[in-house]
Amino acid sequence: MCGIVAAVSTKDVVPVLVQGLARLEYRGYDSCGVAVHAGGLKRARSTARVSELQEQIAAEQFEGHTGIAHTRWATHGVPSEGNAHPHFSFGPSESTGDSSSKSGKIGLVHNGIIENHDELRAALRAKGYVFVSQTDTEVIAHLIDSLYNGDLLEAVEIALPQLHGAYAIAVFCKDEPHRIIGARAGSPLILGVGKTDNANYLASDAMALAGVTDQIVYLEEGDIVDLQLGKYWILDKAYMPLSPQERVVKTVLAHSGAAELGPYSHYMQKEIFEQPRAIADTLQGVDAIAPELFDALMAHKSGENAHAVFKKIDKVLILACGTSYYSGCTAKYWLESIAQIPTQVEVASEYRYRDSVPDANTLVVTITQSGETADTLAALRHAQSLGMKHTLTICNVATSAMVRECSLAYITRAGVEIGVASTKAFTTQLAGLFLLTLALAQSKGRLTDAQEAAHLVAMRHLPAALQAVLALEPQIISWAEDFAKHDNALFLGRGMHYPIALEGALKLKEITYIHAEAYAAGELKHGPLALVTSEMPVVTVAPNDVLLEKLKSNMHEVRARGGVLYVLADANTKIENGDGLHVIHMPENYGSLSPLLHVVPLQLLAYHTALAKGTDVDKPRNLAKSVTVE
């Protein structure tokens, strides 16, 4: 979500800060800012893009050896320069105004949400502090200022227990020129150990430091870090009195080249067309369900063994949000039909706040692209607190908090996904979930050798099958030109293609701002049919499966009301173009793996409709890539 970059060095850190912000743009933001120590604290903030902030910085000749920077996704207060980070505290007796050039005493950037900000704000106002923003973050800056007595670390240590909620912060002080204090609780933060210039860095994402340092420390929950020239200390507030803690320094190659567009117009387009490669990489080395797949489901806790765990479990609980939730909904059909294991799929933000019935023999599966999704992490911890210790994540980032906190992990290899609307992460999640299904079925003795071989042959053919689907793009562009004229759309699917219809509707609404809803096609006559007119395009996912004839009946219901159908049909469904019926035939029928193929035209439909409407494809309004707040 929001992005943090901070640096201490013997050289000017402004280029590193701006470059880091540019590499974090993919996370989504509505304002950005930089502050440096230049005798006093100096800042520049903008509601435009990082490139325009860079022009402002150049015009004002920013330079400093210590600095913090931020991209903000608004939670408290509208997107505005006054609400943008970094926030300053000027002390209780000074008139703060809203001048970005005036030097403050404390400067701070923050990811997360402080839940008790109203109470803290009232107490600080009583002490004479003046608030100039609508944010919860400004409360932290004033609180630290009120506690400062010559030692920034000490002030932060006293402030943190008073903050209720989630945070990752980087804070510096006018009186301590080469020092930054960082802390995290519920939001990710990393330490970058510099190789030259006595530099050290903080960031919310290793991508921000690509090309600057590859020596990364993943700070743990509750860590406080003290950055100075050529040295740092990490303290864990769980251990009192505070004393330095050891953390492993890892070599992390965050390739900035992955963020280059190449011949594509948008990252979303690039990532759609990268899916054959991403699927091939995700399946690399999986030649049999056992033992190779169990080796791939790597143990992350001492003594944990995937095969042994799978034999114990009798249920699966899937926790996820957004697009990842829809991949879990698809996997439910596979797990119950192929592995014959009862499966429950929960929206993570709902599961953690409701009463549920725990089962120690349940495999808790989390699905997340970033591995830092706050709601999913919290749901995982809630499940663990209920005694469900068997945990596995399907995740795209091997170094993420989710991977560290789950006992087992299957790492997808989608590569860096920049576009806010997920595409290749979704299909690689489906590939990982199908492999998990086969592994569970094998461990339970519910998969014959012949069935295993057939499934693996189908999976190895997926990259070629996806290439054939991508070749349908010209026909989908024609559909997109029609869709761009409408304000609403319906998506229909049945069985394991109902979640694919949900995902297609989500993609359309995310980047085109067309109101789109998906329904199980059998539910059409129970309410949604009232919406069908000639002005309501209806997208139907029509594979050649046991529900095809039922689906055809639902399509007749739409046509009888004057609705216009756009159908993605397998070649042998005998559904052809006609009046009010537009059909694109898929290259082949792909059985259980059909959802991976049918979702790709829906991604392309959303992309090309967004192009026709002129929206910001990669940075849709109000949305963020990595949602690290509740």
Side-chain angles (χ1 to χ4, degrees):
M1 234 171 158
C2 305
I4 288 174
V5 192
V8 174
S9 176
T10 56
K11 291 189 175 180
D12 180 24
V13 298
V14 171
V16 171
L17 298 177
V18 174
Q19 175 182 272
L21 291 186
R23 288 179 177 161
L24 293 177
E25 284 190 286
Y26 77 94
R27 296 169 71 97
Y29 67 104
D30 44 49
S31 59
C32 50
V34 170
V36 294
H37 197 296
L41 305 188
K42 182 180 180 181
R43 68 181 168 186
R45 299 180 292 177
S46 174
T47 56
R49 294 301 182 197
V50 171
S51 58
E52 295 182 42
L53 176 68
Q54 187 172 14
E55 292 175 4
Q56 179 183 341
I57 288 169
E60 297 180 17
Q61 297 182 324
F62 262 54
E63 184 175 325
H65 295 175
T66 304
I68 56 178
H70 193 263
T71 53
R72 175 181 186 253
W73 185 83
T75 56
H76 294 72
V78 299
S80 68
E81 184 177 322
N83 286 331
H85 300 213
H87 285 284
F88 283 178
S89 178
F90 300 84
S93 60
E94 295 187 47
S95 173
T96 60
D98 193 27
S99 169
S100 62
S101 62
K102 184 172 182 178
S103 177
K105 181 178 179 182
I106 298 292
L108 179 138
V109 292
H110 162 231
N111 290 351
I113 291 176
I114 304 304
E115 295 171 354
N116 62 330
H117 65 94
D118 284 333
E119 296 92 329
L120 292 171
R121 181 179 285 105
L124 289 162
R125 277 180 172 153
K127 293 180 180 180
Y129 284 89
V130 177
F131 286 80
V132 296
S133 80
Q134 301 164 299
T135 69
D136 55 335
T137 300
E138 191 181 2
V139 167
I140 313 174
H142 289 324
L143 178 62
I144 293 171
D145 180 271
S146 73
L147 299 168
Y148 185 76
N149 192 27
D151 186 332
L152 184 60
L153 176 61
E154 181 181 87
V156 172
E157 288 173 358
I158 299 170
L160 293 181
Q162 301 181 49
L163 304 178
H164 301 164
Y167 57 80
I169 62 170
V171 54
F172 66 163
C173 177
K174 180 176 68 174
D175 298 337
E176 300 180 57
H178 288 101
R179 192 182 200 188
I180 293 176
I181 305 298
R184 64 150 298 191
S187 285
L189 192 66
I190 64 166
L191 161 67
V193 182
K195 298 179 178 180
T196 61
D197 306 320
N198 287 317
N200 285 305
Y201 310 92
L202 289 176
S204 50
D205 188 325
M207 176 68 75
L209 303 180
V212 176
T213 182
D214 60 3
Q215 298 300 291
I216 302 297
V217 177
Y218 288 90
L219 298 175
E220 298 182 9
E221 187 76 358
D223 276 355
I224 304 170
V225 60
D226 186 348
L227 262 66
Q228 298 186 32
L229 286 175
K231 53 191 175 184
Y232 64 87
W233 295 268
I234 297 173
L235 309 167
D236 186 340
K237 67 180 183 182
Y239 296 93
M240 299 299 288
L242 289 170
S243 58
Q245 303 292 316
E246 293 294 326
R247 296 284 184 262
V248 176
V249 180
K250 297 183 178 181
T251 301
V252 177
L253 300 177
H255 296 293
S256 60
E260 294 174 1
L261 271 173
Y264 299 98
S265 300
H266 298 89
Y267 287 111
M268 184 178 180
Q269 181 190 28
K270 176 189 178 190
E271 288 152 11
I272 290 171
F273 279 86
E274 285 178 338
Q275 287 177 111
R277 188 274 308 158
I279 293 291
D281 289 349
T282 296
L283 301 179
Q284 186 177 1
V286 180
D287 298 318
I289 302 306
E292 287 84 353
L293 186 59
F294 295 120
D295 291 338
L297 292 162
M298 301 294 288
H300 291 272
K301 302 278 178 72
S302 177
E304 196 73 78
N305 177 276
H307 189 57
V309 169
F310 291 172
K311 283 185 171 295
K312 293 177 188 175
I313 66 105
D314 51 31
K315 295 178 183 176
V316 172
L317 169 64
I318 296 175
L319 303 172
C321 302
T323 285
S324 296
Y325 172 74
Y326 296 145
S327 70
C329 291
T330 307
K332 175 182 171 71
Y333 288 92
W334 294 333
L335 287 161
E336 294 195 337
S337 64
I338 298 173
Q340 299 171 39
I341 297 176
T343 300
Q344 183 177 356
V345 188
E346 294 261 9
V347 174
S349 58
E350 290 294 315
Y351 171 76
R352 66 176 294 205
Y353 290 117
R354 73 173 185 83
D355 294 330
S356 58
V357 181
D359 182 344
N361 292 325
T362 293
L363 178 65
V364 179
V365 177
T366 63
I367 312 171
T368 165
Q369 188 280 136
S370 67
E372 305 288 352
T373 307
D375 285 319
T376 310
L377 280 166
L380 168 69
R381 292 164 188 157
H382 177 64
Q384 291 169 326
S385 74
L386 296 176
M388 292 189 282
K389 64 179 181 179
H390 301 308
T391 59
L392 181 149
T393 188
I394 306 288
C395 184
N396 192 41
V397 182
T399 54
S400 65
M402 190 67 74
V403 172
R404 295 195 299 273
E405 294 192 26
C406 284
S407 299
L408 301 166
Y410 190 85
I411 307 301
T412 59
R413 297 181 176 88
V416 176
E417 189 178 63
I418 304 295
V420 167
S422 181
T423 53
K424 63 179 180 175
F426 178 75
T427 48
T428 55
Q429 285 172 356
L430 289 178
L433 287 162
F434 193 78
L435 285 173
L436 174 62
T437 299
L438 299 184
L440 287 166
Q442 197 271 352
S443 70
K444 300 291 187 183
R446 294 165 185 158
L447 196 67
T448 67
D449 290 344
Q451 288 170 329
E452 174 187 328
H455 284 309
L456 289 174
V457 167
M459 293 203 81
R460 283 193 286 270
H461 181 58
L462 273 174
L466 284 166
Q467 289 285 12
V469 173
L470 289 168
L472 299 173
E473 186 179 29
Q475 298 175 62
I476 295 164
I477 291 172
S478 177
W479 281 15
E481 291 170 353
D482 290 342
F483 270 72
K485 303 170 187 175
H486 296 279
D487 297 322
N488 303 281
L490 287 177
F491 286 69
L492 302 178
R494 297 200 75 143
M496 63 185 174
H497 292 83
Y498 169 44
I500 298 307
L502 287 164
E503 173 63 9
L506 177 63
K507 285 292 154 286
L508 192 71
K509 71 182 77 169
E510 277 182 312
I511 63 169
T512 70
Y513 317 141
I514 292 173
H515 174 246
E517 297 296 336
Y519 290 89
E523 284 293 290
L524 190 65
K525 56 187 172 291
H526 297 294
L529 199 57
L531 298 174
V532 173
T533 70
S534 60
E535 293 302 309
M536 175 76 79
V538 180
V539 180
T540 307
V541 182
N544 189 16
D545 58 18
V546 294
L547 292 171
L548 178 61
E549 294 307 315
K550 299 291 185 185
L551 184 65
K552 286 181 177 179
S553 296
N554 303 138
M555 291 165 57
H556 285 302
E557 292 168 358
V558 172
R559 288 298 302 123
R561 276 77 180 177
V564 179
L565 284 162
Y566 294 79
V567 184
L568 292 169
D570 285 349
N572 48 2
T573 55
K574 298 181 180 178
I575 301 173
E576 301 298 336
N577 284 291
D579 182 36
L581 181 60
H582 308 280
V583 183
I584 293 177
H585 290 110
M586 300 290 285
E588 55 187 306
N589 181 348
Y590 222 64
S592 296
L593 290 167
S594 175
L596 279 87
L597 301 188
H598 276 273
V599 76
V600 174
L602 300 181
Q603 295 170 350
L604 287 168
L605 176 62
Y607 173 72
H608 284 290
T609 304
L611 287 187
K613 289 180 68 69
T615 62
D616 192 341
V617 173
D618 289 329
K619 301 183 183 71
R621 68 189 182 201
N622 304 335
L623 300 180
K625 183 63 182 171
S626 179
V627 185
T628 55
V629 297
E630 286 191 61

